Amino acid sequence: MKFGLGVCAAMLHAAAFAQFPFLRTLEVRPGQQRPAISCVVQDPMGLLWVGTDIGLLRTDGERVEVIVRTEDDLVTALAVADGHILAALQSGLLIRCNGERCDTLLNDTTLRGSPVRSIVAHADGRVCLATYGAGVWELDAGVVNKVGTAQGLPDDLVNDLAILPDRRLVVATDQGLAICSAGKVVEVFDGSRGAPDNLVLSVSATASGDIWAGTDQRGVFRWRPGGSEVHLLDSAWSYGPVVSLVAQGDLIWAGTEKHGVVLHDTRSARASYREHTGQQATASGTFGLFVDREGAAWWCDGSDRLYRADPSILFVPEHEGLDLRAITALCTDSADRIWFATAKGVFRHAAAFSEELHVTRIPLILDPRTPIVSLCATADGTVWAASFGSGVFSISPDGHVKRYTTADGLSNDNVLSARPMKNDVWFGTLEGLSRWRDGRMTALAPEAGFVFDVLPQPDGDALMATDGHGVMRWDTALASLSADGPRTFYTLVRDAAGNAWSAGPGTGLCRITGADTRASCVGQGRMPFDDDLYAVANGLGRLVAFGSTGVAAYDPITGAWTDLAAHFGLQDMQAQLNVIATDATGSIWIGCNKGLVRIRPTDHHFDPEVPVIITGVLVDGAAVPIDDEIRTTHDRNDVTIRFTGLYYTDPAALRFEYRMAGPNGTILRTRDREATFSGLPAGTHHFQVRAFVGVPAGNDPWHTLMIVVEPPWWRLPWVIVLAGLLLTVLLVLIVRARDRRVRFRERMEKEQVRFQLETLRSQVDPHFLFNSFNTLVDLIEDQPAKAVEHVDQLSTFFRNILLVRDKDLHTVGEELDLLETYFALEQRRFGAAIVLRVEVEQVHRRDRIVPLTLQLLVENALKHNVATLEAPLVIRIEAASDALVVSNPIAPRLSPPRSTGFGLESILKRYAAFTDRPIEVTRHDGVFRVRIPLIAPMP
């Protein structure tokens, strides 16, 4: 996708045409380029899609986006189908776009020589193409079905298509109309059946089943399939070929080749309005006519401009050379005519305007310097004209004019207003009221002074808007209804519920409720009450106030205000009092410096809310599909949101407020159409935006977009819960392991104490000492040198025991050295009756063992077995793989000594702390064996 900077200007062309609806021109320029616009449609969101010679553009009236850039490949037709935009290119491509994403739906070289002129889409998804040279093409689920002259079509040169309410297809060709159903031609309507012109250039179907067709020479005609009756819209059509056409209820919009757009209102046989602009003289045609959701018509003319006309607002700045931009008084009558006064006199005209309808001047004997300031019409058709200085004039239905002055009972010849009630007429003058009733003029309430306006009541009374006395009521006596409120009021009006309202300079709108209740006012100080006030009218249940600072509507039920100057094209309006009237259809007519203006207000005019749409979302600079919820990750959390408001009346006047909703969500105001948020934290965010014109109401609804930034995996709830569980389990295991170690350490310490105690006991065992001393005595007598060696070994043995008793482990070599000393002491007592054979390789002497293990096992063997010279006790210590095996023959003594069980039990308990391998104790074949696992040396 390519995007261009959009520059869009809105210009009002109200003074350049005689009679035409309120027209705005929007320039569509991507950057500095000036594209030639060939077609335009509105998508379901309300944005405009524009087909040009440089590609497919999208705009909100202010910003322009280039969706597809084609460069010299003209977009010839556009349509909306199932929420998508279909665009046909001159090169034979048919593309489909959804938002900013486009793909190719069809590519056929045949369409290069037979370009697509129109596209329509059925509700079931079928798409029909009008080709100029190859008939009608229907695309159904990727299959192309063709209908041409071979299938009964009058001509393969197809100009336009339309769909009837019964889903049949209307085909406009160079040789007449055709009706198609299910891919077949079921009816042909041409000159042979009464068609005024075979060359049909445009066609439109209505909800009632009528077909309106635009022709080359005869303008527009209406025909219903199955019939032969033809109705010409204008039998004297002089505007040339009708190249585009839209039937909008009672309104027929006809786009001509050289004369702009002609609008016909079929409610009045002669109501037609033609667009007159200097640009249309050189335009190549008026194309792409369509009616938007607000009832306004859009079209293009081959330039870089789009045109928008609101049919509910009609401007008539001049008619038949008569300048209508200085009207001094205005009214309507029961014959659907407009009466107005200018400096050149009093005139009447039909409520409908066309170049064939003429204005009628009513001759009055009046000084040209004396203005007509008020007009009104009674139920019998009489029109009354009030002058400021020459009394009042009655104009009967047959044109008879009669003048009334103070000599005829008028309170003052300077009349400010004239208001009817059935056939009665009330006049406000510089000296109170006057009333015409039953052919008689009566002066009333002179003490009221200046009466700017009067509002007759159904009960025969009248309300007066005065200068200095506020609003007063006349019955048989005069009563002030606003003695404690504003003192000057200009105008009076009755709302749809029958309540009376008044307004003056700075008063706002004041409701007049009764003789004992003062006026209740709203809107003081706001436009248009903050400067000159011209008039207040009742329109569509609202009170519409016109003044020099704008136009505003007030809803008496909801209390809502709506600024309407831009809606009605009445910015910088200037007018006088009594230049407003409401006709039988509810239309408001006003005379101002822009001419005679007719306003038929609709609900959308009074809706202060500007619809807001999200046009694009970028995540880290890349576009993502637009949805109610945008999801992204924590490492892609730079988000740009593009938005706009739909206000084609004056797009440049739009302003926006936006925020990230939350306790600290600051509301930011901007005229830009995008907002960027960098580094959004993980979580759910609610982006809110609203649009407004002028001053925000404060209670406008927010358009909300949810943005979900997913947290990193380690912050996901289930990961946090799982991590918590794992941490809890780990802590429990650590605590339990610690408890086991503590208990084991305590047990080992107790065992070590016990071992040390038992070792100490063994060291001082009386039998051991007695035997050692006896051996020493024998050696002293016989072998003194041996005695000395014996004492030395005994000392070494006890010293070694003291050194190793606090150790957990020591090497096998150290253990064998300790055992060698012990066994040498015992061998001096037993002599050759005991034998110790050690077969442990050097490699195993580096392994570790629990201290005194071998000494205890050898001691137990000597304690529990008989040793004689004839049968010596042979104790073997051998290395076997990762263990030491201590064995001795079983030769139990006849009187075995008392056993404490300490030795072997102590070895088993202490080994359990250092290895899972058990100590194996066996008695087999007369041999006692103990297998002691070796513990690997320290690294």
Side-chain angles (χ1 to χ4, degrees):
M1 303 297 171
K2 298 180 180 179
F3 293 85
L5 295 176
V7 180
C8 183
M11 298 176 291
L12 174 64
H13 297 284
F17 46 79
Q19 314 97 20
F20 203 71
F22 174 38
L23 181 67
R24 279 195 178 273
T25 302
L26 303 177
E27 293 180 347
V28 180
R29 298 179 185 174
Q32 299 300 317
Q33 290 183 290
R34 290 178 174 266
I37 301 174
S38 55
C39 46
V40 58
V41 295
Q42 187 176 39
D43 68 15
M45 291 194 302
L47 296 175
L48 298 176
W49 291 70
V50 182
T52 73
D53 60 340
I54 65 169
L56 184 60
L57 315 180
R58 186 175 71 174
T59 181
D60 59 3
E62 176 75 4
R63 176 178 179 174
V64 179
E65 299 171 292
V66 180
I67 303 300
V68 177
R69 188 176 291 279
T70 60
E71 299 298 348
D72 299 326
D73 192 0
L74 179 68
V75 178
T76 60
L78 290 174
V80 179
D82 192 26
H84 298 79
I85 300 297
L86 301 180
L89 276 62
Q90 200 170 40
S91 61
L93 278 176
L94 179 67
I95 61 176
R96 175 178 56 191
C97 298
N98 182 14
E100 299 172 356
R101 302 175 184 270
C102 300
D103 58 0
T104 299
L105 196 62
L106 178 67
N107 186 2
D108 196 309
T109 56
T110 303
L111 299 179
R112 297 179 183 177
S114 303
V116 176
R117 288 196 169 182
S118 177
I119 308 173
V120 295
H122 290 272
D124 58 7
R126 290 177 295 134
V127 175
C128 296
L129 310 179
T131 74
Y132 196 70
V136 176
W137 291 23
E138 181 185 83
L139 278 68
D140 188 2
V143 178
V144 178
N145 301 311
K146 300 179 182 180
V147 179
T149 53
Q151 289 75 32
L153 205 64
D155 198 342
D156 285 334
L157 302 175
V158 181
N159 297 300
D160 201 4
L161 300 173
I163 299 177
L164 288 164
D166 59 7
R167 300 184 180 180
R168 290 186 297 171
L169 187 67
V170 184
V171 183
T173 77
D174 278 5
Q175 296 298 322
L177 288 173
I179 308 297
C180 297
S181 179
K184 298 180 180 179
V185 177
V186 297
E187 186 175 4
V188 173
F189 185 73
D190 55 17
S192 64
R193 293 188 54 188
D197 191 343
N198 277 348
L199 182 49
V200 181
L201 302 176
S202 54
V203 66
S204 180
T206 67
S208 62
D210 288 337
I211 295 174
W212 290 89
T215 69
D216 180 55
Q217 297 295 327
R218 298 298 305 276
V220 179
F221 70 88
R222 183 182 63 194
W223 169 70
R224 180 178 285 269
S228 58
E229 182 180 354
V230 174
H231 169 73
L232 278 175
L233 186 65
D234 184 352
S235 58
W237 184 265
S238 60
Y239 305 120
V242 179
V243 294
S244 58
L245 185 69
V246 171
Q248 177 196 8
D250 297 317
L251 302 178
I252 307 299
W253 299 82
T256 68
E257 191 172 68
K258 294 183 179 180
H259 297 278
V261 174
V262 179
L263 172 62
H264 277 260
D265 189 340
T266 59
R267 289 169 292 191
S268 177
R270 304 179 73 183
S272 66
Y273 311 97
R274 183 165 68 90
E275 175 199 6
H276 290 276
T277 68
Q279 299 155 357
Q280 289 296 333
T282 58
S284 59
T286 303
F287 310 107
L289 262 172
F290 78 92
V291 175
D292 67 14
R293 61 184 64 180
E294 295 178 348
W298 290 83
W299 65 89
C300 57
D301 63 358
S303 68
D304 61 347
R305 296 178 177 86
L306 293 178
Y307 299 87
R308 179 183 186 267
D310 188 345
S312 19
I313 307 166
L314 176 70
F315 280 87
V316 188
E318 60 87 20
H319 188 60
E320 294 187 303
L322 183 62
D323 190 351
L324 302 182
R325 292 173 294 181
I327 293 176
T328 60
L330 178 69
C331 77
T332 62
D333 64 14
S334 57
D336 197 27
R337 293 179 297 187
I338 308 298
W339 293 74
F340 54 88
T342 71
K344 295 186 177 181
V346 175
F347 305 85
R348 71 165 182 252
H349 192 279
F353 280 83
S354 74
E355 294 183 357
E356 299 176 359
L357 295 174
H358 304 290
V359 65
T360 300
R361 184 177 184 276
I362 308 300
L364 297 180
I365 302 175
L366 185 67
D367 188 326
R369 294 170 296 180
T370 301
I372 300 296
V373 296
S374 183
L375 291 167
C376 73
T378 58
D380 62 4
T382 301
V383 173
W384 292 79
S387 72
F388 192 78
S390 296
V392 297
F393 298 84
S394 67
I395 307 169
S396 65
D398 59 6
H400 179 70
V401 177
K402 184 175 181 180
R403 178 185 175 193
Y404 297 89
T405 64
T406 54
D408 303 299
L410 191 66
S411 58
N412 191 284
D413 286 341
N414 295 295
V415 182
L416 300 175
S417 62
R419 298 289 181 261
M421 174 58 71
K422 297 182 180 179
N423 289 323
D424 294 349
V425 183
W426 295 75
F427 302 97
T429 75
L430 293 184
E431 294 185 53
L433 288 177
S434 293
R435 181 182 63 192
W436 170 265
R437 174 178 290 178
D438 298 330
R440 179 182 174 188
M441 187 74 73
T442 306
L444 305 170
E447 61 270 37
F450 285 17
V451 178
F452 283 113
D453 200 5
V454 57
L455 182 65
Q457 300 292 87
D459 59 4
D461 297 339
L463 297 178
M464 296 174 289
T466 72
D467 182 13
H469 299 289
V471 175
M472 308 183 74
R473 181 185 182 96
W474 182 88
D475 187 358
T476 54
L478 195 63
S480 175
L481 304 183
S482 54
D484 297 330
R487 310 300 297 171
T488 300
F489 289 87
Y490 289 159
T491 184
L492 285 159
V493 67
R494 186 175 288 109
D495 66 18
N499 299 308
W501 295 76
S502 188
T507 66
L509 277 173
C510 302
R511 182 179 177 183
I512 311 302
T513 56
D516 299 325
T517 305
R518 66 181 182 179
S520 175
C521 302
V522 294
Q524 301 96 320
R526 65 154 291 146
M527 60 181 187
F529 304 106
D530 52 356
D531 206 337
D532 290 340
L533 181 71
Y534 305 140
V536 178
N538 177 25
L540 206 65
R542 280 87 166 179
L543 297 173
V544 184
F546 298 82
S548 60
T549 58
V551 182
Y554 175 72
D555 189 335
I557 298 177
T558 65
W561 287 94
T562 308
D563 295 325
L564 298 176
H567 275 299
F568 294 160
L570 296 178
Q571 301 97 324
D572 303 321
M573 181 185 71
Q574 296 177 8
Q576 300 182 29
L577 293 174
N578 301 324
V579 290
I580 194 165
T582 304
D583 63 20
T585 66
S587 299
I588 300 173
W589 293 82
I590 186 167
C592 63
N593 60 318
K594 297 178 182 291
L596 181 61
V597 182
R598 184 198 66 198
I599 301 171
R600 288 177 177 163
T602 60
D603 286 330
H604 88 270
H605 289 121
F606 297 123
D607 187 359
E609 179 184 344
V610 178
V612 175
I613 57 176
I614 303 296
T615 61
V617 178
L618 305 179
V619 176
D620 279 5
V624 299
I626 301 175
D627 204 346
D628 293 335
E629 178 182 304
I630 303 297
R631 303 189 72 90
T632 185
T633 57
H634 71 284
D635 55 345
R636 298 181 67 246
N637 56 351
D638 292 339
V639 179
T640 296
I641 305 165
R642 292 174 175 167
F643 48 83
T644 190
L646 300 181
Y647 189 70
Y648 292 112
T649 302
D650 189 3
L654 267 183
R655 299 294 182 269
F656 300 90
E657 290 183 334
Y658 68 90
R659 66 182 179 185
M660 275 294 184
N664 300 319
T666 303
I667 297 178
L668 301 175
R669 187 172 296 178
T670 181
R671 64 167 295 168
D672 295 333
R673 284 162 162 77
E674 70 177 32
T676 299
F677 300 89
S678 299
L680 282 178
T684 300
H685 308 272
H686 294 87
F687 173 76
Q688 296 182 324
V689 60
R690 61 188 178 189
F692 62 91
V693 177
V695 179
N699 57 353
D700 294 334
W702 294 93
H703 182 94
T704 301
L705 174 68
M706 182 184 297
I707 304 172
V708 179
V709 180
E710 297 177 351
W713 65 267
W714 61 85
R715 290 182 57 188
L716 294 175
W718 67 269
V719 173
I720 295 174
V721 171
L722 180 59
L725 291 175
L726 292 176
L727 181 60
T728 301
V729 171
L730 181 61
L731 289 175
V732 170
L733 293 176
I734 291 174
V735 170
R736 288 183 177 180
R738 178 181 175 277
D739 290 343
R740 284 197 300 270
R741 288 196 303 272
V742 170
R743 290 195 297 269
F744 174 76
R745 177 61 62 186
E746 291 175 350
R747 187 169 65 251
M748 288 300 295
E749 289 176 353
K750 291 179 181 178
E751 189 65 29
Q752 186 73 13
V753 171
R754 182 184 175 193
F755 172 73
Q756 292 174 355
L757 178 60
E758 292 297 333
T759 302
L760 181 61
R761 287 176 179 173
S762 68
Q763 294 170 6
V764 296
D765 186 351
H767 292 285
F768 179 76
L769 292 176
F770 175 75
N771 292 331
S772 295
F773 288 151
N774 283 339
T775 302
L776 179 60
V777 170
D778 292 341
L779 291 175
I780 290 173
E781 293 178 354
D782 299 330
Q783 302 179 36
K786 291 289 187 183
V788 174
E789 183 181 355
H790 183 80
V791 171
D792 183 59
Q793 288 177 335
L794 185 62
S795 173
T796 300
F797 174 70
F798 281 109
R799 184 172 64 251
N800 289 340
I801 287 178
L802 292 175
L803 291 175
V804 302
R805 66 180 180 177
D806 293 328
K807 291 183 178 182
D808 293 329
L809 296 170
H810 70 165
T811 65
V812 172
E814 292 172 334
E815 179 72 7
L816 290 174
D817 292 341
L818 181 65
L819 177 62
E820 183 180 354
T821 302
Y822 169 75
F823 195 80
L825 292 172
E826 292 288 6
Q827 200 170 32
R828 284 198 176 87
R829 183 163 67 93
F830 290 101
I834 61 174
V835 178
L836 177 65
R837 294 182 178 173
V838 178
E839 298 177 1
V840 178
E841 293 82 357
Q842 189 65 32
V843 66
H844 292 298
R845 291 177 181 264
R846 293 193 299 270
D847 292 334
R848 293 180 295 169
I849 194 171
V850 174
L852 301 178
T853 298
L854 298 179
Q855 187 266 334
L856 288 173
L857 291 174
V858 170
E859 182 181 354
N860 284 343
L862 297 176
K863 183 187 295 185
H864 296 287
N865 293 284
V866 176
T868 64
L869 292 175
E870 293 78 12
L873 179 66
V874 180
I875 302 172
R876 297 180 182 275
I877 300 176
E878 302 170 309
S881 183
D882 57 351
L884 289 180
V885 179
V886 181
S887 63
N888 61 270
I890 301 174
R893 296 189 178 194
L894 295 177
S895 299
R898 181 181 64 85
S899 175
T900 63
F902 163 73
L904 191 57
E905 179 186 358
S906 174
I907 293 171
L908 293 173
K909 289 182 178 179
R910 288 194 293 160
Y911 259 94
F914 301 106
T915 180
D916 294 333
R917 292 177 291 161
I919 294 177
E920 299 177 5
V921 180
T922 61
R923 290 176 173 85
H924 184 68
D925 294 335
V927 178
F928 179 80
R929 288 185 177 86
V930 178
R931 185 182 178 88
I932 302 169
L934 293 176
I935 300 172
M938 293 291 290

